[in-house]
Amino acid sequence: MARDIDSMPQSYEYDVLIIGSGAAGLAVALNLPEHLRVCVVSKADISSGATLWAQGGIAAVLDDTDSVENHIQDTLNAGGGLCHEDAVRFTVEHSKESIEWLIESGVEFTRQDDGADYHLTREGGHSHRRIIHAADATGHAVSTTLASQAAARPNIDLKSGRVAVDLITNRKLALPGNRCVGAYILNLEDNHVELFRARFTVIATGGSSKAYRYTTNPDGASGDGIAMAWRAGCRVANMEFNQFHPTCLYHPHAKSFLITEAVRGEGGVLKLPDGSRFMDRFDKRAELAPRDIVARAIDHEMKRLGADHLYLDISHKPADFIKHHFPTIYEKCLGFGIDITKEPIPVVPAAHYTCGGIVSDERARTDINQLYVVGEAAFTGLHGANRMASNSLLECLVYGRAAAADITRRESDIPAPPAAPDWDESQVRDSDEDVVISHNWDELRHFMWDYVGIVRTTKRLQRAKHRVDLLSREIGEFYSNYRVTNDLIELRNLVTVADLIICSALQRKESRGLHYTLDYPGLLNDPQDTVLVPTTYRTLSP
């Protein structure tokens, strides 16, 4: 039976298609000239990505006692010898102007009590106070402000309730050249796949921490952009470096609520169930050690004691100080019956940030022409083996603005995208096996947590590789025969990124930064990035 014409999938054409609406994607959109037709698509509400939940703040050189060189050195130290110094310098040197752009855009950062200067906090790995913030809800302030600015721009279309299925390239269309010309995107409202053609496409989809059982990330962090780019022919790098946030709130109803590192930066101490401190036994910086050290220490003590969680205590500070600096955390914990001004916070490590991603350059360009990547989905070389606290939002801003600048320079030279076929749904059917998707999702996240977590072994990784290969075949068959859904798309992408993580981890024969394996506890003398090359990879050409 023919479908009603109103239910047929839509087709769109834009100058720039941006997949993802966090700080990175919106930074691109808002820095493009207003004569370009821009579309920003997001899975849920425009302000529903990982940016919204970022608590701590944004690292930048804003104080006279600090310097660009200090910030660079701290980042290099945290990165475990794998940071690309040119990328670190590029990011840090553009930090102040990026913050100024946010302020000009209307983001209201917290000021000192006298109102004269902005309040700067300090987090693990930083030698100076350089974290500008909006209380303990910086991401919320940035996300809502930029979304409001984008909504007011007549040249920017904001389309929510859409999840990208796959990129469209010249290769997929059997045309010459190595170019991205848009994407197929599922409209979650009517469950039809829409065609989005564009002269430029930007991946700003965030990371892949939903591959793990415990995570601080929102539900959409399923590695969609990384998986799509890999299938399209982009290299990925350093996927073994998954950052586990040391302190996620441990409560059966809290889901994914992290306790910002700024709590430790302002004097919070980690404690065992008996109330004793332990971090000084693992690092001379104690609670201010980088995240990987703190996460491993907590994981070690939990396993040693057989404990479900440990504690983070800032109750020794004045109650007014806590409520002023951490109002969101105070209210959230109070809602679960925990008064952080009087008692410690139960915490557990959780998957938090994907340090690797799609290989890109200082202009955010990937291995495919007219395809850019910004934010957590990208591998810029900034983070190395371990992301330093509050450098992530800075990376979103700096590279988002760099991508916009490059598109602006090149837009007059790039022709309209070629014609592309609508998504073919004629050979598939609706699935009545949703339980299979749910089961596979649970299995994936459990074995990733058990075998590819904070501490790894070769045997565990090999077991994970065996399981992910079986799941890949099963899901591939499912994807070929049934109509796509959000859950199926995300599961397909999570299996892809899980495989990339496992393969990367198996290649690294050392313990460095966030990758810690009992089989290779030492460091190699000449560390290299782990770069995976897809069979569809082509050397970039004009």
Side-chain angles (χ1 to χ4, degrees):
M1 180 182 294
R3 287 193 302 234
D4 181 2
I5 192 68
D6 291 336
S7 69
M8 296 296 285
Q10 296 291 311
S11 177
Y12 302 94
E13 181 181 345
Y14 289 94
D15 292 309
V16 185
L17 170 65
I18 300 170
I19 307 172
S21 62
L26 293 176
V28 178
L30 291 169
N31 281 279
L32 290 169
E34 296 195 26
H35 69 267
L36 293 180
R37 294 166 297 127
V38 180
C39 182
V40 180
V41 298
S42 64
K43 283 186 181 180
D45 294 336
I46 295 298
S47 297
S48 62
T51 299
L52 186 71
W53 304 104
Q55 295 176 356
I58 308 171
V61 180
L62 302 169
D63 188 86
D64 291 341
T65 64
D66 196 7
S67 70
V68 166
E69 295 304 322
N70 286 335
H71 191 172
I72 290 172
Q73 194 57 52
D74 289 345
T75 302
L76 294 175
N77 290 341
L82 280 181
C83 293
H84 296 192
E85 188 168 351
D86 56 347
V88 176
R89 183 169 296 278
F90 175 78
T91 306
V92 174
E93 286 180 344
H94 290 84
S95 64
K96 186 175 182 180
E97 67 188 51
S98 296
I99 297 300
E100 290 172 344
W101 175 74
L102 281 183
I103 294 170
E104 291 169 2
S105 298
V107 177
E108 295 184 2
F109 292 107
T110 299
R111 291 185 177 271
Q112 300 280 14
D113 292 339
D114 60 9
D117 296 315
Y118 290 107
H119 180 268
L120 303 177
T121 191
R122 180 182 172 190
E123 295 180 351
H126 290 275
S127 60
H128 290 72
R129 284 182 172 265
R130 64 168 70 99
I131 317 301
I132 190 168
H133 60 100
D136 62 346
T138 306
H140 185 274
V142 171
S143 183
T144 54
T145 300
L146 296 186
S148 176
Q149 290 279 342
R153 293 277 182 93
N155 68 310
I156 300 176
D157 285 350
L158 304 176
K159 294 186 179 296
S160 58
R162 285 172 169 84
V163 56
V165 181
D166 262 324
L167 298 171
I168 306 171
T169 61
N170 279 18
R171 183 180 62 84
K172 186 170 289 188
L173 299 176
L175 296 173
N178 182 26
R179 178 186 177 192
C180 180
V181 295
Y184 289 112
I185 296 178
L186 176 65
N187 185 328
L188 298 177
E189 185 174 333
D190 63 15
N191 289 318
H192 288 309
V193 176
E194 300 171 335
L195 170 64
F196 282 75
R197 293 183 302 128
R199 295 199 291 148
F200 300 90
T201 302
V202 182
I203 293 174
T205 51
S208 51
S209 287
K210 289 296 282 189
Y212 288 94
R213 183 180 180 186
Y214 301 112
T215 175
T216 64
N217 282 201
D219 288 338
S222 48
D224 300 339
I226 297 172
M228 288 192 303
W230 171 259
R231 290 192 293 267
C234 290
R235 292 169 299 159
V236 301
N238 286 6
M239 289 295 291
E240 70 270 37
F241 297 121
N242 301 97
Q243 189 170 66
F244 288 81
H245 197 287
T247 53
C248 187
L249 176 62
Y250 181 83
H251 190 279
H253 304 303
K255 200 174 181 182
S256 304
F257 187 75
L258 70 85
I259 307 299
T260 174
E261 283 204 271
V263 172
R264 286 183 284 122
E266 294 295 340
V269 295
L270 288 162
K271 294 183 176 180
L272 301 176
D274 65 3
S276 62
R277 295 180 65 178
F278 61 91
M279 273 308 304
D280 58 342
R281 290 191 278 110
F282 292 88
D283 193 281
K284 63 182 180 181
R285 291 164 291 188
E287 278 77 11
L288 289 178
R291 287 179 176 176
D292 61 318
I293 295 173
V294 178
R296 276 202 302 275
I298 295 174
D299 183 68
H300 175 86
E301 291 300 302
M302 285 173 59
K303 289 176 178 173
R304 181 178 69 84
L305 298 170
D308 292 329
H309 62 279
L310 299 184
Y311 294 94
L312 177 59
D313 193 358
I314 197 170
S315 63
H316 53 279
K317 288 282 190 175
D320 288 344
F321 174 90
I322 295 171
K323 293 176 184 177
H324 175 69
H325 283 276
F326 308 110
T328 306
I329 295 173
Y330 172 75
E331 292 294 341
K332 186 76 170 184
C333 289
L334 201 62
F336 294 119
I338 304 164
D339 186 345
I340 68 172
T341 66
K342 300 177 180 178
E343 58 188 316
I345 307 166
V347 294
V348 66
H352 182 59
Y353 194 88
T354 305
C355 286
I358 305 161
V359 173
S360 62
D361 64 12
E362 283 187 358
R363 298 180 184 179
R365 298 178 299 186
T366 71
D367 291 327
I368 299 176
N369 284 312
Q370 284 81 66
L371 178 65
Y372 296 75
V373 60
V374 289
E376 193 175 346
F379 168 76
T380 64
L382 171 64
H383 304 305
N386 183 16
R387 177 183 74 95
M388 190 168 68
S390 292
N391 269 351
S392 51
L393 280 178
L394 177 62
E395 182 185 39
C396 289
L397 301 170
V398 170
Y399 283 88
R401 285 160 56 83
D406 194 64
I407 291 171
T408 302
R409 282 193 295 268
R410 302 173 62 207
E411 59 101 359
S412 60
D413 299 326
I414 304 301
D422 289 333
W423 183 261
D424 184 7
E425 296 180 343
S426 62
Q427 303 300 315
V428 296
R429 59 191 186 274
D430 290 323
S431 169
D432 57 359
E433 296 289 345
D434 289 346
V435 66
V436 176
I437 295 176
S438 176
H439 181 272
N440 286 350
W441 180 287
D442 288 340
E443 181 182 353
L444 173 72
R445 298 180 74 198
H446 273 80
F447 76 65
M448 285 296 290
W449 184 262
D450 291 339
Y451 299 153
V452 200
I454 296 172
V455 177
R456 302 161 179 176
T457 67
T458 300
K459 189 173 183 179
R460 292 176 194 170
L461 292 172
Q462 289 171 341
R463 285 176 174 169
K465 177 60 177 166
H466 175 68
R467 293 304 309 147
V468 83
D469 285 346
L470 292 175
L471 277 180
S472 294
R473 289 194 291 271
E474 186 172 321
I475 293 162
E477 181 180 345
F478 209 82
Y479 178 82
S480 299
N481 292 305
Y482 295 106
R483 197 179 306 279
V484 295
T485 64
N486 181 55
D487 287 347
L488 179 55
I489 293 167
E490 290 189 338
L491 179 60
R492 178 188 183 220
N493 291 333
L494 280 173
V495 168
T496 298
V497 294
D499 190 35
L500 295 173
I501 292 168
I502 295 163
C503 289
S504 297
L506 282 167
Q507 286 192 28
R508 187 162 295 282
K509 308 298 185 183
E510 63 170 347
S511 289
R512 183 176 299 275
L514 300 165
H515 175 74
Y516 186 81
T517 171
L518 296 177
D519 293 321
Y520 301 97
L523 293 170
L524 294 176
N525 292 328
D526 184 25
Q528 302 291 326
D529 293 324
T530 305
V531 181
L532 303 180
V533 182
T535 57
T536 49
Y537 172 72
R538 295 182 184 180
T539 302
L540 192 62
S541 59

